Amino acid sequence: MSPTPAVPGPPRLREGTAADASAVAALYTASRRDAYAGLLPPGTLDADAAQQDLLWELRLTADYGPPADTPVLLLAETPGGPPLGFAHLVPVDGTVRLEHLHVHPAHTGRGLGGLLLRAALDRHPATPVRLDVLAANHRAIAFYERHGARLLATGTARFPDGTTLPELTYGWR
């Protein structure tokens, strides 16, 4: 009889560092390919994926000045394992932008997104938190609304390849 594989412990949250850039880029790409399949043209997803290693390295190594102006990357992971999800928070003009909230497709539906979102909101209890979401991304919209987000504005998402799509701005506080 073979031994039972160890069950990973509950996910823990920690702040990401520059050393996490490559793993975050891979998770980001996998999550976007899954979540945006059918919402974005494949070429848009491919162009986006090609630059993620460099973009995450730049995001995580740039000098933003004082801590209050410095973005924060929150990672959910099991001890010794790769990131399962992340939230990227960027201070902007008295608000905080939730620029990214992604969970690896193999781990969606297990509460990790909610865990990361609560941690992001708790990190800035007195500051308005905002995010943009594609208007056609009904799954994400339902998630944010279940977690208390309110629709604030409508706009247009513009992608580097020239693709434009309707987007919505949601927020808390």
Side-chain angles (χ1 to χ4, degrees):
M1 178 186 261
S2 62
T4 304
V7 175
R12 69 177 179 112
L13 296 181
R14 70 169 175 88
E15 282 193 28
T17 68
D20 299 306
S22 182
V24 168
L27 190 156
Y28 173 86
T29 299
S31 174
R32 289 200 26 122
R33 286 189 189 282
D34 181 67
Y36 293 170
L39 300 180
L40 288 176
T44 301
L45 287 170
D46 292 341
D48 185 59
Q51 53 190 318
Q52 288 310 310
D53 278 335
L54 176 59
L55 287 175
W56 282 103
E57 184 178 332
L58 291 171
R59 286 178 182 128
L60 296 174
T61 59
D63 182 357
Y64 295 91
D69 295 334
T70 301
V72 173
L73 176 68
L74 298 175
L75 293 177
E77 63 185 11
T78 55
L84 306 174
F86 69 91
H88 187 235
L89 303 155
V90 180
V92 178
D93 299 328
T95 66
V96 172
R97 301 286 306 172
L98 180 56
E99 289 291 326
H100 303 284
L101 177 63
H102 291 274
V103 173
H104 192 281
H107 298 281
T108 59
R110 298 180 186 180
L112 289 172
L115 177 73
L116 285 160
L117 180 58
R118 283 188 301 280
L121 295 173
D122 288 349
R123 189 166 187 103
H124 299 280
T127 306
V129 176
R130 306 287 183 258
L131 65 86
D132 295 321
V133 60
L134 293 177
N137 193 345
H138 303 294
R139 188 173 93 182
I141 291 167
F143 170 82
Y144 293 126
E145 288 179 347
R146 274 194 316 274
H147 286 87
R150 304 236 182 247
L151 178 63
L152 302 174
T154 61
T156 302
R158 300 180 195 295
F159 295 87
D161 71 348
T163 298
T164 60
L165 295 169
E167 75 179 352
L168 307 171
T169 300
Y170 274 84
W172 294 263
R173 296 186 269 285

